[in-house]
Amino acid sequence: MLSKEEIFQNLAEVKEKIAAAAKRAGRNPEDVKLVAVSKTYPVEAIEYAMEEGTVIFGENKVQELTGKIDYFEAKNCQNEWHLIGHLQTNKCKYIVGRTALIHSVDSFKLAEAIDKEAAKKDVICDILIELNIGDEDSKFGCRPEDCEALVRDISILKNVRVKGLMCVAPFVENPEENRMFFRQMKNLTVDIANKNIDNVSMCEISMGMTGDYEVAIEEGATIVRVGTGIFGKRNYMI
Ligand SMILES: *Cc1c(COP(=O)(O)O)cnc(C)c1O
């Protein structure tokens, strides 16, 4: 695990780069939220980031997420948790009401399961629709051409709110290769927003990771998800 000083330095660097990318695109840096992706890292690393002032953390596995939420709730910490990884319908009950945003909804069936849990707990659950933007077989996500229909179907559910779109862009050496995908994401949010579907907003675009978040911001990302750029190399053996 990185030291506190290293995590502080990485965060300062990432935040500087976020601000610079926003400015290059004529955007307000405050319109870009940083999700610190803490999957596989110990709670101490998260505590260092919190000390630095980071408030939003993203996890991709339900069990790890709820474990960390339990830990920080017991300490009365006010941070915000996002689920950024695939969610199985039978696991919604563990996270609905405990996460500020679920980034990875890619089917009506899953949205319905979230809605049912949210209704039971009398909460509204904010979600993003995950797109498979590079059309990769290995990835979850709805195809871009199916997105509007899915959003329309989900919009009738009373206890979920669509806030925008999310994608995990292809892994590339040169982030410029993903620019067209990020642009396609932005265009899709504009197209869907123009349909004025009840209960649906397209305010958030969650795209860009350590390797490509600056390009994503230039193309309109409002949420970037950065893990290794903050916490260092991941050890999947944990
Ligand atoms: C792991 C993960 C990230 C962060 O990836 P880094 O390359 O470490 O920044 C972002 N989004 C999702 C969905 C992830 O699973």
Side-chain angles (χ1 to χ4, degrees):
M1 191 184 98
L2 296 187
S3 69
K4 178 152 95 174
E5 289 70 30
E6 287 168 315
I7 289 176
F8 271 41
Q9 198 183 333
N10 285 345
L11 275 165
E13 223 167 86
V14 167
K15 287 176 179 177
E16 244 169 64
K17 286 182 177 169
I18 288 174
K23 284 193 190 125
R24 279 197 297 281
R27 304 180 53 206
N28 183 347
E30 285 175 14
D31 294 340
V32 182
K33 287 191 273 285
L34 171 63
V35 174
V37 177
S38 49
K39 67 188 187 199
T40 76
Y41 302 106
V43 290
E44 289 79 12
I46 298 173
E47 283 168 338
Y48 292 155
M50 286 168 59
E51 215 177 294
E52 185 274 348
T54 299
V55 281
I56 313 176
F57 294 89
E59 291 281 337
N60 70 336
K61 293 208 165 65
V62 168
Q63 199 177 354
E64 189 175 351
L65 174 62
T66 54
K68 286 173 175 168
I69 294 175
D70 288 342
Y71 176 89
F72 285 101
E73 266 184 7
K75 296 186 145 207
N76 266 319
C77 294
Q78 297 297 314
N79 41 357
E80 192 178 292
W81 294 93
H82 291 193
L83 181 75
I84 60 173
H86 183 64
L87 175 60
Q88 288 170 293
T89 52
N90 62 341
K91 296 206 171 149
C92 293
K93 57 178 175 285
Y94 302 115
I95 61 154
V96 169
R98 309 192 77 192
T99 45
L101 187 63
I102 299 173
H103 289 230
S104 43
V105 177
D106 61 358
S107 71
F108 182 70
K109 196 176 115 217
L110 176 56
E112 222 177 8
I114 294 170
D115 182 64
K116 207 170 132 198
E117 270 317 306
K120 227 187 262 177
K121 293 175 176 151
D122 197 22
V123 295
I124 304 286
C125 187
D126 288 345
I127 65 167
L128 303 178
I129 305 299
E130 178 172 358
L131 291 191
N132 184 349
I133 200 77
D135 195 22
E136 295 175 284
D137 290 343
S138 59
K139 295 254 171 86
F140 293 107
C142 145
R143 293 185 309 178
E145 57 270 37
D146 299 333
C147 184
E148 186 188 330
L150 178 60
V151 168
R152 280 189 192 281
D153 288 346
I154 293 175
S155 71
I156 62 155
L157 299 172
K158 297 244 171 338
N159 291 70
V160 297
R161 288 282 182 282
V162 177
K163 293 289 179 184
L165 305 181
M166 175 270 206
C167 77
V168 179
F171 181 78
V172 290
E173 287 297 329
N174 177 0
E176 285 298 331
E177 288 173 52
N178 279 337
R179 188 179 291 279
M180 61 173 180
F181 293 129
F182 296 144
R183 194 166 293 173
Q184 203 183 333
M185 287 285 289
K186 170 73 186 183
N187 289 340
L188 203 48
T189 61
V190 172
D191 289 348
I192 295 175
N194 283 339
K195 304 281 158 72
N196 290 318
I197 304 166
D198 277 352
N199 286 327
V200 169
S201 99
M202 282 286 136
C203 296
E204 304 290 0
I205 312 177
S206 168
M207 58 186 185
M209 308 177 13
T210 296
D212 55 15
Y213 68 90
E214 293 167 89
V215 175
I217 291 166
E218 287 169 11
E219 296 300 329
T222 66
I223 302 174
V224 292
R225 309 179 308 266
V226 180
T228 48
I230 296 171
F231 298 112
K233 217 166 148 295
R234 268 187 294 275
N235 176 6
Y236 279 102
M237 301 307 285
I238 290 174

